[in-house]
């Protein structure tokens, strides 16, 4: 803990010096504590960042953060679903503690969030973009957030005053405009700032900016090896989940085929499809925007008419996969462009040297692996999340860490970086030892996960589990009682459940014991499991 004590002392002396200078009537010095810029996208899979894997897309601006800082290859979430992940980030607590176990259950507003502590400690605080729960985030001097999921086109924003205003244009650009405007016009240069810059993209329905839409429509996206996984080596949960690209991806809402085309071709579709397609983004387009988008949608319709009747199930899966990935990656390309705008602003205004910059997502996402889209499972693609951090003079540029870190750790990390004492009831671990290379002060071997939203959309069963670098043990419960074990070294894509393999008997026994220990450490229990099942049933 020596580095923490030293950092607190140095920061304290510097802040005191600034105050003394001001009291003596001389020029007020800027507060020396670091700025925190927290950038988060929604459902941005690590596979779709070229610093992790250049197969799908090139993201030069997000990659800059890795090149100038640190990339975490084993960053994970505690609960792979939007609002619970955000509640964990803000509170530094597992979802069964902060109350936000799923997208339906209300957040416990008595919980202290780390921005409140920053605000109290004299930081200037702001949030722009997508929060996804609650319309009045605590601890912010100023915010403009989209209601709920928000919209890509001409989005509405809830402001600090409590009113709702509409901004015309594309959400990813607008959220960046708001963030840059605050930095340029409202930031106090004598105060450190905490800014949460939160993108809606690339959340479903993956609606790209018009020029990106047109460009990516021409791209052929490589398929994952497990696109046609039959789940023969996995349990009931994988077999019953409703997130298969062919079966469950909506042809109009998701793949952008006009509902009237499906009707004229006699293709039955989900009853929600037409309503969602017309009501979510199409209805928000101005005549000028329609003129940009309709030719692209016409091209999709023509391609669908020509190809769909001639394809078998595999061919139709491939067609939907291409449509999905073209739009998903096009949405990310806009995020990357806008991250570049903000990084450029920091450099041009001499803010880079004293700003800790984080890029992450609220969880991972399936990009066709196991034939899926969406998230929720503890399997790799949704359990892992991108995490890239740069902080000049503290983090060496261009390094990678494979330590098991979680979104649970963000709050305590930021608090320690700013020299602010974290509450004793936070459950994460500060990542400062990893930033500074003090590995003797980091001893975590495994992390805990718990997913609750079942029965619900995509029908992913309730489960909890433990993961280390080498193994992952998952317990599915509620209407099943099944265990799955994966050897992550031999089977990194988690295709073969070895729970019943006698060769893994000792490993299984140890992991179960370790899992019980984590449940106890984080104050989770079977009693809570049953309590949440009952309350969910009541809702």
């Amino acid at each position: 803990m020596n580095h923490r004590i030293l950092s607190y002392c140095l920061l304290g002396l510097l802040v005191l010096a600034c105050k003394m200078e001001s009291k003596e009537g001389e020029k007020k010095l800027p507060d020396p504590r670091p700025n925190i810029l927290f950038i988060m996208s929604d459902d941005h899979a690590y596979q779709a960042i070229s610093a992790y894997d250049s197969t799908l897309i090139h993201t030069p601006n997000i990659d800059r953060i890795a090149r100038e800082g640190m990339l975490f290859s084993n960053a994970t979430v505690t609960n792979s679903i939007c609002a619970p992940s955000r509640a964990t980030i803000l509170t530094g607590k597992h979802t069964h503690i902060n109350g936000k176990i799923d997208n339906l259950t209300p957040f416990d507003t008595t919980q202290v969030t780390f921005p409140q502590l920053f605000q109290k400690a004299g930081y200037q605080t702001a949030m722009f973009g997508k929060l996804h729960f609650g319309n009045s985030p605590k601890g912010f001097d100023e915010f403009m957030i989209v209601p709920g999921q928000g919209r890509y086109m001409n989005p509405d924003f809830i402001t600090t005053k409590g009113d709702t205003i509409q901004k015309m244009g594309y959400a990813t650009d607008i959220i960046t405009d708001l963030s840059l405007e605050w930095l340029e016009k409202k930031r106090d240069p004598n105060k450190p700032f905490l800014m949460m810059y939160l993108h809606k993209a690339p959340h479903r329905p993956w609606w790209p900016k018009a020029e990106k839409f047109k460009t990516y429509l021409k791209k052929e996206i490589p398929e994952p090896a497990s696109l046609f996984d039959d789940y023969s080596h996995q349990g009931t949960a994988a077999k019953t989940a409703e997130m298969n690209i062919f079966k469950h991806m909506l042809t109009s809402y998701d793949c952008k085929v006009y509902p009237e085309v499906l009707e004229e071709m006699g293709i039955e579709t989900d009853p929600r499809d037409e309503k969602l397609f017309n009501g979510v983004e199409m209805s928000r387009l101005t005549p000028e925007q329609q003129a940009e988008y309709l030719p692209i949608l016409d091209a999709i319709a023509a391609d669908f008419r020509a190809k769909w009747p001639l394809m078998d199930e595999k061919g139709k899966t491939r067609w939907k996969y291409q449509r999905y990935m073209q739009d998903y990656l096009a949405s990310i390309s806009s995020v990357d462009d806008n991250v570049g705008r903000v990084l450029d602003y920091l450099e041009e205004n001499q803010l880079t040297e004293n700003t800790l910059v984080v890029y992450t997502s609220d969880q991972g996402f399936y990009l066709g692996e196991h034939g899926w889209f969406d998230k929720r499972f503890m399997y790799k693609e949704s359990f892992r999340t991108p995490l890239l951090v740069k902080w000049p003079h503290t983090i060496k540029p261009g390094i990678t860490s494979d330590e098991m870190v979680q979104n649970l750790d963000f709050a305590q990390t930021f608090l320690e970086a700013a020299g602010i004492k974290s509450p004793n009831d936070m459950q994460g671990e500060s990542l400062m030892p990893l930033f500074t290379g003090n590995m003797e002060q980091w001893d975590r071997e495994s992390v805990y996960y718990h997913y609750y939203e079942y029965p619900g959309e995509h029908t992913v069963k309730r489960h909890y589990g433990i993961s280390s670098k080498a193994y992952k043990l998952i317990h599915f419960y509620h209407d099943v009682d099944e265990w799955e074990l994966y050897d992550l070294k031999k089977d990194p894509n988690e295709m073969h459940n070895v729970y019943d393999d006698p060769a893994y008997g000792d490993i299984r026994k140890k992991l179960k014991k370790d899992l019980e220990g984590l449940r106890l450490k984080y104050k989770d229990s079977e009693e809570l499991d049953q309590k949440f099942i009952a309350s969910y049933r009541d809702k």
Side-chain angles (χ1 to χ4, degrees):
M1 300 297 290
N2 289 340
H3 76 284
R4 299 190 187 188
I5 296 170
L6 180 60
S7 65
Y8 289 150
C9 291
L10 290 173
L11 282 169
L13 288 170
L14 287 167
V15 172
L16 181 61
C18 291
K19 290 180 178 177
M20 289 175 65
E21 187 94 18
S22 178
K23 282 181 180 179
E24 293 172 5
E26 297 181 15
K27 183 179 178 181
K28 186 178 180 182
L29 297 175
D31 191 313
R33 293 176 293 178
N35 307 308
I36 312 287
L37 173 61
F38 181 75
I39 312 171
M40 184 166 72
S41 297
D42 194 309
D43 293 341
H44 191 173
Y46 67 88
Q47 312 94 288
I49 294 176
S50 47
Y52 285 92
D53 187 340
S54 60
T55 303
L56 298 175
I57 191 172
H58 182 45
T59 52
N61 294 298
I62 297 172
D63 291 358
R64 282 165 64 183
I65 302 173
R67 187 171 62 251
E68 297 170 12
M70 191 171 197
L71 179 148
F72 288 86
S73 60
N74 267 327
T76 65
V77 296
T78 64
N79 185 353
S80 185
I81 186 169
C82 296
S85 174
R86 293 157 192 266
T88 290
I89 289 169
L90 287 171
T91 63
K93 300 174 188 177
H94 278 274
T95 51
H96 63 273
I97 299 294
N98 66 46
K100 194 64 180 166
I101 59 169
D102 51 49
N103 280 337
L104 303 175
T105 305
F107 174 64
D108 176 3
T109 57
T110 66
Q111 295 286 322
V112 173
T113 64
F114 79 82
Q116 289 176 277
L117 301 175
F118 271 80
Q119 189 181 49
K120 185 177 179 180
Y123 267 71
Q124 193 176 11
T125 58
M127 173 187 282
F128 300 102
K130 180 178 177 180
L131 174 61
H132 193 200
F133 70 92
N135 293 334
S136 183
K138 297 188 296 183
F140 293 97
D141 301 325
E142 182 167 349
F143 62 81
M144 289 186 69
I145 58 173
V146 297
Q149 294 286 3
R151 296 290 180 262
Y152 280 101
M153 299 304 302
N154 309 322
D156 296 326
F157 287 87
I158 300 165
T159 76
T160 316
K161 298 176 182 177
D163 58 344
T164 299
I165 61 174
Q166 185 177 26
K167 293 281 188 177
M168 304 305 290
Y170 187 64
T172 306
D173 296 336
I174 295 168
I175 291 167
T176 307
D177 292 343
L178 294 171
S179 301
L180 290 174
E181 181 183 26
W182 185 86
L183 287 170
E184 179 69 31
K185 298 179 180 179
K186 300 179 181 180
R187 180 181 65 87
D188 182 346
N190 293 310
K191 286 185 176 183
F193 66 81
L194 163 69
M195 186 167 79
M196 301 190 77
Y197 165 47
L198 311 174
H199 284 294
K200 172 194 167 46
H203 193 279
R204 191 180 186 185
W206 320 297
W207 189 273
K209 194 173 180 179
E211 59 263 35
K212 301 282 187 181
F213 202 174
K214 186 176 181 179
T215 299
Y216 275 78
L217 188 60
K218 301 172 185 177
K219 293 182 180 288
E220 185 76 16
I221 311 301
E223 297 173 2
S226 60
L227 181 61
F228 298 103
D229 189 358
D230 62 3
Y231 321 116
S232 57
H233 299 287
Q234 292 168 294
T236 303
K239 295 178 177 69
T240 57
E242 294 181 357
M243 41 199 246
N244 180 270
I245 287 174
F246 171 68
K247 295 177 181 177
H248 306 116
M249 185 170 280
L250 300 178
T251 313
S252 291
Y253 178 59
D254 294 323
C255 298
K256 319 298 188 299
V257 179
Y258 293 127
E260 51 266 33
V261 171
L262 302 181
E263 185 177 358
E264 73 182 42
M265 294 175 68
I267 297 172
E268 291 188 13
T269 186
D270 189 299
R272 301 170 298 167
D273 207 357
E274 180 177 358
K275 182 179 179 181
L276 287 169
F277 176 82
N278 289 317
V280 174
E281 299 297 343
M282 288 293 291
S283 64
R284 304 184 73 84
L285 299 179
T286 65
E288 294 77 17
Q289 290 166 340
Q290 287 183 17
E292 292 184 289
Y293 279 98
L294 290 180
I296 305 167
L297 296 170
D298 290 345
I300 293 170
D303 188 67
F304 183 82
R305 281 193 182 99
K307 294 178 180 177
W308 193 261
L310 306 177
M311 294 187 290
D312 59 10
E313 184 174 313
K314 280 195 171 182
K316 291 174 179 177
T317 299
R318 289 192 163 105
W319 191 91
K320 280 191 166 185
Y321 169 78
Q322 290 298 324
R323 282 278 51 256
Y324 164 40
M325 291 305 299
Q326 288 163 351
D327 295 349
Y328 180 88
L329 297 174
S331 301
I332 287 171
S333 183
S334 289
V335 171
D336 186 70
D337 290 347
N338 280 281
V339 168
R341 291 174 62 199
V342 175
L343 295 179
D344 288 347
Y345 179 89
L346 295 181
E347 290 183 4
E348 292 163 4
N349 291 274
Q350 291 75 53
L351 291 170
T352 296
E353 295 299 297
N354 197 35
T355 301
L356 190 166
V357 178
V358 174
Y359 186 88
T360 190
S361 174
D362 51 356
Q363 65 266 315
F365 214 66
Y366 291 102
L367 305 184
E369 299 90 356
H370 305 288
W372 289 334
F373 65 103
D374 208 70
K375 56 250 182 183
R376 301 167 194 267
F377 275 112
M378 196 184 173
Y379 303 138
K380 179 174 73 171
E381 290 81 9
S382 59
F383 179 48
R384 286 190 187 177
T385 192
L387 179 60
L388 307 97
V389 186
K390 77 182 186 81
W391 188 10
H393 312 300
T394 300
I395 298 175
K396 292 181 181 179
I399 59 176
T400 298
S401 172
D402 68 348
E403 294 302 316
M404 302 297 295
V405 303
Q406 288 195 293
N407 57 353
L408 183 71
D409 303 323
F410 295 170
Q412 281 154 286
T413 302
F414 301 151
L415 290 166
E416 182 173 355
I420 303 169
K421 188 177 186 306
S422 60
N424 293 330
D425 60 350
M426 283 187 172
Q427 295 181 304
E429 298 289 339
S430 170
L431 304 182
M432 284 293 290
L434 304 182
F435 291 172
T436 57
N438 294 314
M439 294 304 299
E440 69 279 2
Q441 296 175 14
W442 181 265
D443 62 358
R444 179 189 283 161
E445 295 183 356
S446 55
V447 293
Y448 181 62
Y449 179 90
H450 201 150
Y451 174 80
Y452 298 88
E453 194 170 292
Y454 176 85
E457 188 171 2
H458 298 297
T459 65
V460 173
K461 295 186 182 296
R462 293 173 184 247
H463 59 289
Y464 58 83
I466 182 174
S467 181
S468 65
K469 295 177 187 177
Y471 300 101
K472 183 181 294 181
L473 178 69
I474 309 172
H475 181 213
F476 292 94
Y477 68 97
H478 182 26
D479 59 352
V480 294
D481 182 9
E482 295 181 5
W483 291 82
E484 295 184 10
L485 172 62
Y486 294 93
D487 185 330
L488 303 179
K489 299 296 184 183
K490 294 182 179 179
D491 180 25
N493 294 320
E494 301 167 358
M495 300 292 289
H496 298 276
N497 173 23
V498 295
Y499 182 80
D500 292 323
D501 187 335
Y504 288 87
D506 290 343
I507 292 167
R508 182 173 63 239
K509 183 178 179 181
K510 180 182 185 302
L511 285 171
K512 278 196 170 184
K513 182 178 179 181
D514 291 346
L515 177 57
E516 289 175 6
L518 286 183
R519 298 258 284 173
L520 184 64
K521 174 182 177 179
Y522 294 124
K523 301 178 181 178
D524 203 1
S525 65
E526 187 173 344
E527 290 73 23
L528 278 179
D529 299 344
Q530 296 306 313
K531 172 189 171 183
F532 292 135
I533 289 170
S535 64
Y536 192 83
R537 187 186 302 119
D538 292 341
K539 287 196 290 289

